[in-house]
Amino acid sequence: MFIFTSANLKFIMQKKTGKNILQPGKWVSLYADYLFNYAITRVNDHNIAKDLVQETFFSGLKGKDNFRGDASEKTWLISILKRKIIDHYRKINSVKGKKEVRMPFYQEGENRGFWLEERVPQSWDNEAEKKIENQELKMILDLCIDHLPEKHRMVFLLKTQRNFETEEICNELDISSSNLWVIIHRARLQLRECIENNWFKK
Amino acid sequence: MISCDEATAISDKKQYGEATRMERVKLNFHLMLCKHCRAYSMQNNYISRLLSKYLHDSCETDHLVDKEKQELEEKLKIHIKDISKN
């Protein structure tokens, strides 16, 4: 005897209409890893990535009536996650961005844009210190990257570690390319100074 | 002449091979006259080498453990129930 459970009824409906359907009960087993992987490469933090995946599932559930079945379930969930990542980026950009004390590297006024005396790059002339093969140096590099404000670190790592194209990052975070280069510039200024202070000046 | 801020910004862009020809001309002219930015540019090249050596893609090893997935599964179940009630 053939029993019409809701699951096989859905399957029959899908066959008939050719449309994709949502099966939230299977989301975690089917898509959690995929979505997490997508999120972690962008936000670089295990717990934030996990939260974003969770929020994606919840939003998907809430908005399930908006799913028209033209795209696959997976594509639909990814599009929700993408939106969540933009929201996350905006949040760190506004909340923490305002709290951060802005420490200028360059002068204002008459000599606008020229180095502030106390932030001029010092010479790194110690050749021994320049040797790239060094565990302590690697550790300092990691610490200096961790120390970047999150909004700078996120863009910097997408560009430098994940080798994303400029255009891709602009699309994914909904920022302009000039905005992106300002952020990369800020990140590298801070990174250079941090390496100088902790390695070349120790 | 461009400022040090502009020059170092171009130097950063150049690290990714994305400075335009015009930008590189402006940068080189600035570097002839400014030793601070010369130092910055050289150190920038060094940092890029450092980054390409040490900054590998480390997220591939980061994944959700089974316990986290179970928790997620349970939370989602509760939400599914709530929604089907309404």
Side-chain angles (χ1 to χ4, degrees), chain A residues 11-168:
Chain A
F11 181 72
I12 292 164
M13 275 168 62
Q14 184 181 12
K15 278 251 159 147
K16 215 173 171 181
T17 57
K19 295 263 180 184
N20 295 298
I21 52 156
L22 296 180
Q23 294 179 285
K26 291 184 179 170
W27 281 355
V28 175
S29 63
L30 287 176
Y31 309 118
D33 287 328
Y34 177 73
L35 295 176
F36 179 82
N37 203 28
Y38 189 94
I40 189 78
T41 44
R42 282 142 182 97
V43 300
N44 308 296
D45 181 288
H46 185 92
N47 288 327
I48 294 173
K50 191 173 82 178
D51 288 349
L52 288 172
V53 172
Q54 181 174 309
E55 283 173 34
T56 299
F57 287 150
F58 291 171
S59 294
L61 208 54
K62 230 188 208 165
K64 68 179 175 18
D65 297 338
N66 300 327
F67 180 74
R68 292 193 308 273
D70 301 331
S72 74
E73 198 176 27
K74 186 174 171 183
T75 308
W76 187 69
L77 287 168
I78 271 287
S79 71
I80 298 172
L81 177 60
K82 282 183 175 171
R83 196 63 236 172
K84 298 276 172 208
I85 290 171
I86 291 178
D87 291 346
H88 170 73
Y89 183 69
R90 294 217 170 127
K91 205 168 78 192
I92 57 177
N93 220 346
S94 58
V95 182
K96 287 187 186 163
K98 272 174 199 155
K99 264 191 245 163
E100 176 210 357
V101 188
R102 232 184 110 81
M103 298 219 298
F105 281 82
Y106 302 100
Q107 302 179 38
E108 287 297 331
E110 203 181 318
N111 289 323
R112 192 167 192 277
F114 288 86
W115 289 100
L116 280 169
E117 203 170 331
E118 66 273 23
R119 304 200 90 161
V120 162
Q122 302 300 304
S123 79
W124 293 359
D125 48 12
N126 188 340
E127 284 306 315
E129 303 289 355
K130 264 194 173 174
K131 283 219 175 84
I132 233 169
E133 306 280 345
N134 189 310
Q135 279 309 304
E136 200 190 336
L137 178 58
K138 181 193 183 307
M139 220 176 69
I140 287 169
L141 181 70
D142 287 342
L143 282 175
C144 287
I145 291 171
D146 280 347
H147 203 65
L148 293 172
E150 197 183 348
K151 58 176 180 168
H152 294 156
R153 191 174 61 237
M154 190 169 162
V155 175
F156 174 76
L157 288 179
L158 278 174
K159 188 75 193 135
T160 316
Q161 182 175 36
R162 322 260 178 239
N163 299 315
F164 274 53
E165 298 289 336
T166 300
E167 203 187 323
E168 255 180 302

Side-chain angles (χ1 to χ4, degrees), chain A residues 24-29 32-33 36-37 40-41 44-47 50 53-54 57-58 61-62 64 106 112-115 120-124 129-135 137-138 141-142 145 156-157 159-162 164-166 181 184-186 188-189 191-193 195-196 199-200, chain B residues 1-19 30 34-65 68-81 83-84:
Chain A
K26 291 184 179 170
W27 281 355
V28 175
S29 63
D33 287 328
F36 179 82
N37 203 28
I40 189 78
T41 44
N44 308 296
D45 181 288
H46 185 92
N47 288 327
K50 191 173 82 178
V53 172
Q54 181 174 309
F57 287 150
F58 291 171
L61 208 54
K62 230 188 208 165
K64 68 179 175 18
Y106 302 100
R112 192 167 192 277
F114 288 86
W115 289 100
V120 162
Q122 302 300 304
S123 79
W124 293 359
E129 303 289 355
K130 264 194 173 174
K131 283 219 175 84
I132 233 169
E133 306 280 345
N134 189 310
Q135 279 309 304
L137 178 58
K138 181 193 183 307
L141 181 70
D142 287 342
I145 291 171
F156 174 76
L157 288 179
K159 188 75 193 135
T160 316
Q161 182 175 36
R162 322 260 178 239
F164 274 53
E165 298 289 336
T166 300
W181 289 115
I184 297 278
H185 181 40
R186 299 286 310 169
R188 291 189 77 111
L189 277 168
L191 190 63
R192 192 210 68 81
E193 196 179 62
I195 294 171
E196 178 170 295
W199 182 247
F200 289 97
Chain B
M1 191 171 89
I2 56 173
S3 69
C4 298
D5 192 1
E6 290 166 289
T8 47
I10 296 171
S11 168
D12 291 333
K13 214 169 162 183
K14 205 178 137 198
Q15 297 302 319
Y16 301 90
E18 293 184 48
H30 183 99
C34 176
K35 66 171 184 191
H36 299 323
C37 290
R38 242 178 356 248
Y40 184 91
S41 282
M42 281 165 68
Q43 292 164 3
N44 218 358
N45 294 336
Y46 172 78
I47 290 170
S48 287
R49 269 188 289 138
L50 209 59
L51 289 167
S52 65
K53 182 162 174 60
Y54 289 122
L55 199 63
H56 305 301
D57 230 318
S58 57
C59 285
E60 273 156 31
T61 55
D62 196 345
H63 54 88
L64 290 173
V65 295
E68 290 174 311
K69 281 193 221 169
Q70 276 167 18
E71 285 167 5
L72 199 55
E73 187 97 59
E74 274 153 30
K75 282 187 198 165
L76 194 61
K77 264 186 201 155
I78 296 169
H79 270 251
I80 293 172
K81 264 190 202 158
I83 282 197
S84 53

